Amino acid sequence: MRVLVTTTPTYGSFHPIVPLARALIIAGHDVRVAGPEPFRAAVEAAGLSFAPAGSAEIPPDLIAELAAARPNAPLRSRLMLTRVMMGIQPRAIVPDLRALMDRWEPDVLLRGHLVYGAYIA
């Protein structure tokens, strides 16, 4: 079985999926982890196959807005969730995931908990 696993470029999202991905490989399944290119080294260091998808880039104006919101944790969290996790990242990852799914034809898509674009793909 081909299993495509998605992740955000953060260790807190990636590390919890590593044991499952490794267990799938041990069970004989073909597993690939899709995420932004800057996270390739982390995925490969975990012994997993990487497929580039999405982007880790945040526009400078949003970076400034997030920095200004730093003392206000609820505001910063809301900005990260609505503007980055549910905005920028899905728009970047959906086309890449669709293309990867068309080429590789996975049997299963395991969505990382913050990869909202995988719902759409």
Side-chain angles (χ1 to χ4, degrees), residues 23-74:
L24 288 165
I25 291 168
I26 290 168
H29 303 291
D30 188 1
V31 176
R32 290 189 189 172
V33 178
E37 185 65 41
F39 215 60
R40 174 187 292 272
V43 172
E44 291 176 348
L48 302 170
S49 295
F50 178 78
S55 173
E57 292 184 31
I58 298 175
D61 61 324
L62 182 53
I63 290 173
E65 195 172 349
L66 287 165
R70 188 173 306 270
N72 184 340

Side-chain angles (χ1 to χ4, degrees), residues 20 99 102:
L20 175 59
D102 287 344

Side-chain angles (χ1 to χ4, degrees), residues 1-119:
M1 179 169 59
R2 289 182 179 164
V3 181
L4 180 59
V5 181
T6 63
T7 186
T8 62
T10 61
Y11 291 101
S13 293
F14 174 64
H15 283 286
I17 65 172
V18 171
L20 175 59
R22 287 181 178 159
L24 288 165
I25 291 168
I26 290 168
H29 303 291
D30 188 1
V31 176
R32 290 189 189 172
V33 178
E37 185 65 41
F39 215 60
R40 174 187 292 272
V43 172
E44 291 176 348
L48 302 170
S49 295
F50 178 78
S55 173
E57 292 184 31
I58 298 175
D61 61 324
L62 182 53
I63 290 173
E65 195 172 349
L66 287 165
R70 188 173 306 270
N72 184 340
L75 173 59
R76 184 175 168 79
S77 294
R78 188 171 60 242
L79 287 171
M80 280 299 297
L81 184 62
T82 61
R83 303 269 305 276
V84 177
M85 304 296 186
M86 293 181 169
I88 294 167
Q89 288 181 346
R91 283 192 292 276
I93 202 169
V94 168
D96 294 340
L97 283 179
R98 293 294 304 263
L100 177 58
M101 289 164 44
D102 287 344
R103 279 191 320 273
W104 194 55
E105 298 180 349
D107 299 296
V108 176
L109 173 64
L110 295 178
R111 182 188 73 83
H113 75 288
L114 293 174
V115 187
Y116 295 104
Y119 280 126

